[in-house]
Amino acid sequence: MMTLLTCRNYIDGQWVDATTGNILESYNPALVSEVVATFPRSQAEDVDKAVTAARKAYSSWRKVPAPARAEYIFRVGELLLQHKEELAQLISREMGKPLTEARGDVQEGIDCAFYSAGEGRRLFGLTTPSEMPNKFAMTVRMPIGVCALITPWNFPVAIPCWKAMPALVCGNTVILKPAEDTPACATKLIEIFAAAGLPAGVVNLVHGVGEEVGKALVEHPQVDLVSFTGSSETGAFVGATCGRTHKRVCLEMGGKNAQVVMEDADLGLALDGAVWGAFGTTGQRCTATSRLILHRDIKEKFTAMLYERTSKLRLGAGYNPDTEIGPIINQRQLQRVNEYMNIAREEGAKILIGGEIANEGQLQQGNFFLPTILDNVTPDMRVAREEIFGPVVALIEVNSFEDAIAILNDTNYGLSSSIYTRDINRAFTAMRDIEAGITYINGPTIGAEVHLPFGGVKQTGNGHREAGTTALDVFTEWKSVYVDFSGNLQRAQIDNRS
């Protein structure tokens, strides 16, 4: 059994308890009797202390040259490399994903560190001709201020890195509020940031409950920006609150992603993509493949292939080397997934395989749900429209490519999408007509790379993108600068030629 970890808040360069002294516990989802960590149940007073520290540090951190700020982030990347296996083991135990995926989670943080560090020498602005003689015009990026980073449990290292690293390189200070299910992962990550030598107050960590700590951060008058990843329902509150208080806000929310398989597809390749997309991370990804849109000519054959592959998937604790499908994060989410099975039956869908909580042998000691295929699904069903966030995929039959695109787009979300076809004309038409922030051709709906923008349309987001150079647009403001060296008053847009 793993040693019980004691997590604390990190404020102004010090590890401290919550003001009230109250604590919470995180559990191993594969063995719910095992407490992985204790952590503070912080309140608004703790948030206020973190904001005060971040505000104070901002005044000097923003003046550190960007290449020098980036050197700290590069060191974070080096430390993440050194501690990769330790972090992966912790992720697997506290969050539940298989070790291979947990290592990928940490690797995303490493990749983000090195990529973001490079941006310290590429915070490019623009120069442009002035309409006046002897006048110079340019644009520069300016930091925004104190950034609240509210992150989920499914990628407890990668997502905080996606937010914190570009924010810091841009000259902001940050306060991380991690999910209640993964406090130990967040603590270890911030220990690494601290070990990289970042000045006190530049990076802060406040544990607690979303309705208490998260809400206090979003509403705090001295927080300038909120970057939130989570449900669309919570994101709506965050967006509305930030709108009223004039905060910059970046929202990354839900998805109801679809993979289209056309009659000319490489079915073996499409099968690999469908299984990985639907059941990777136990379906607990915003980019998970929750809908499979299948052309009628290959529907029966592909369904049989998918059934066979799904029936052989091995469930277990993520830290067991043979595990392919780990546990659901907690009991609440496990029951939510199970409730959708009742909804599926009521709506007339057919459960081909799975559809129930796994309770054989050691699986009954954790939050396990059998990988599930729903057949006879129509686009109007709730299981085809609502995010389940579990190892469940719905099969929808279509008669044509045009029908497939129309059904793929018939959703409130628009994060990731996929189509398998050998027809280049269809591929390019899909790239043009699919309403999503990400489109894969002959690849699954999951698998982002840190140098490309990440985000979606409709209720998936609010127009911003994470990762890539687009992250700089989240964490900086543009300033236009004019330098007039004519020695005279020159009035723009005044017609003095008549």
Side-chain angles (χ1 to χ4, degrees):
M1 181 174 289
M2 184 179 181
T3 302
L4 176 67
L5 302 175
T6 301
C7 302
R8 305 173 81 189
N9 292 337
Y10 186 70
I11 298 175
D12 203 17
Q14 300 294 320
W15 294 99
V16 296
D17 295 321
T19 304
T20 63
N22 294 332
I23 61 170
L24 299 168
E25 296 175 331
S26 70
Y27 300 89
N28 177 352
L31 183 64
V32 294
S33 61
E34 180 187 334
V35 179
V36 176
T38 61
F39 61 100
R41 183 167 186 168
S42 307
Q43 300 294 323
E45 186 175 349
D46 303 291
V47 169
D48 194 58
K49 290 179 180 179
V51 173
T52 299
R55 175 61 58 191
K56 179 182 176 182
Y58 174 65
S59 62
S60 55
W61 178 249
R62 65 187 292 273
K63 297 174 185 176
V64 175
R69 296 194 299 254
E71 289 177 7
Y72 287 99
I73 304 306
F74 193 89
R75 285 200 287 275
V76 172
E78 292 180 312
L79 289 169
L80 283 172
L81 267 175
Q82 295 174 25
H83 294 276
K84 181 176 180 179
E85 187 61 24
E86 177 188 354
L87 260 174
Q89 292 283 344
L90 181 57
I91 291 170
S92 190
R93 189 168 296 273
E94 189 175 44
M95 180 268 159
K97 66 176 66 176
L99 268 175
T100 52
E101 295 186 42
R103 294 181 184 113
D105 195 320
V106 183
Q107 188 60 50
E108 280 197 51
I110 295 166
D111 294 344
C112 186
F114 295 147
Y115 179 83
S116 298
E119 289 305 311
R121 295 184 182 274
R122 290 192 300 269
L123 287 176
F124 297 141
L126 297 170
T127 59
T128 183
S130 170
E131 64 187 46
M132 302 290 187
N134 298 321
K135 187 178 180 181
F136 186 82
M138 62 180 175
T139 62
V140 294
R141 291 185 181 272
M142 303 296 291
I144 292 175
V146 175
C147 301
L149 313 179
I150 302 174
T151 60
W153 44 262
N154 57 342
F155 286 86
V157 169
I159 292 178
C161 288
W162 277 24
K163 297 178 186 297
M165 289 171 173
L168 294 169
V169 168
C170 289
N172 305 285
T173 55
V174 303
I175 303 164
L176 173 63
K177 190 280 169 194
E180 298 96 289
D181 291 292
T182 51
C185 295
T187 298
K188 183 61 183 177
L189 177 63
I190 297 305
E191 286 177 358
I192 287 173
F193 272 86
L198 284 153
V202 171
V203 174
N204 303 274
L205 169 68
V206 182
H207 292 288
V209 178
E211 294 83 356
E212 296 167 352
V213 173
K215 185 173 184 289
L217 278 169
V218 172
E219 294 177 344
H220 200 288
Q222 293 300 311
V223 169
D224 303 294
L225 179 152
V226 177
S227 179
F228 168 83
T229 298
S231 71
S232 294
E233 293 77 15
T234 304
F237 164 79
V238 173
T241 304
C242 291
R244 290 196 307 272
T245 54
H246 307 289
K247 289 181 173 65
R248 172 75 66 87
V249 60
C250 175
L251 303 175
E252 176 53 48
M253 299 177 289
K256 194 65 181 176
N257 314 290
Q259 174 182 310
V260 174
V261 184
M262 296 305 300
E263 80 283 0
D264 65 336
D266 179 333
L267 295 188
L269 182 64
L271 178 65
D272 290 340
V275 172
W276 174 231
F279 303 128
T281 322
T282 320
Q284 299 173 118
R285 307 172 77 136
C286 54
T287 56
T289 305
S290 55
R291 296 180 294 156
L292 273 175
I293 301 174
L294 308 176
H295 191 277
R296 63 182 180 184
D297 290 352
I298 53 90
K299 164 73 163 46
E300 183 176 354
K301 180 178 180 180
F302 191 81
T303 301
M305 294 168 64
L306 180 64
Y307 181 98
E308 180 182 10
R309 180 74 70 83
T310 303
S311 68
K312 296 177 180 177
L313 293 172
R314 297 183 297 272
L315 277 68
Y319 40 84
N320 293 336
D322 294 334
T323 293
E324 295 173 292
I325 307 294
I328 298 287
I329 185 65
N330 55 42
Q331 276 286 325
R332 183 178 64 256
Q333 183 60 24
L334 182 67
Q335 292 304 321
R336 171 185 166 87
V337 175
N338 199 40
E339 288 168 8
Y340 268 102
M341 298 303 100
N342 295 327
I343 293 169
R345 294 184 186 96
E346 292 169 1
E347 292 184 320
K350 179 181 180 182
I351 299 175
L352 289 184
I353 189 172
E356 61 186 33
I357 294 172
N359 53 19
E360 293 184 3
Q362 292 186 338
L363 297 180
Q364 64 184 319
Q365 300 179 50
N367 303 322
F368 291 94
F369 199 87
L370 294 174
T372 301
I373 303 172
L374 303 179
D375 201 3
N376 300 339
V377 176
T378 58
D380 60 315
M381 292 181 180
R382 288 179 62 187
V383 291
R385 307 193 68 82
E386 298 176 10
E387 188 174 38
I388 299 173
F389 225 63
V392 180
V393 64
L395 310 186
I396 302 173
E397 183 177 329
V398 293
N399 297 321
S400 67
F401 169 76
E402 291 75 19
D403 288 345
I405 299 301
I407 289 172
L408 186 153
N409 288 337
D410 185 20
T411 173
N412 293 328
Y413 301 104
L415 180 53
S416 189
S417 58
S418 165
I419 182 168
Y420 283 79
T421 179
R422 289 187 173 98
D423 187 325
I424 192 170
N425 295 330
R426 282 176 172 172
F428 273 85
T429 301
M431 284 186 264
R432 181 193 66 191
D433 292 346
I434 288 176
E435 298 169 356
I438 304 166
T439 295
Y440 293 86
I441 307 299
N442 294 326
T445 60
I446 58 181
E449 301 184 32
V450 299
H451 54 290
L452 274 72
F454 183 91
V457 300
K458 303 179 185 177
Q459 292 183 19
T460 288
N462 67 330
H464 289 296
R465 293 291 184 270
E466 296 188 301
T469 56
T470 48
L472 306 180
D473 292 326
V474 174
F475 294 110
T476 58
E477 296 277 15
W478 283 108
K479 176 182 281 189
S480 296
V481 179
Y482 300 95
V483 180
D484 192 322
F485 54 98
S486 68
N488 300 302
L489 172 64
Q490 300 191 87
R491 298 183 295 173
Q493 287 84 47
I494 298 297
D495 189 353
N496 56 9
R497 291 172 291 183
S498 59

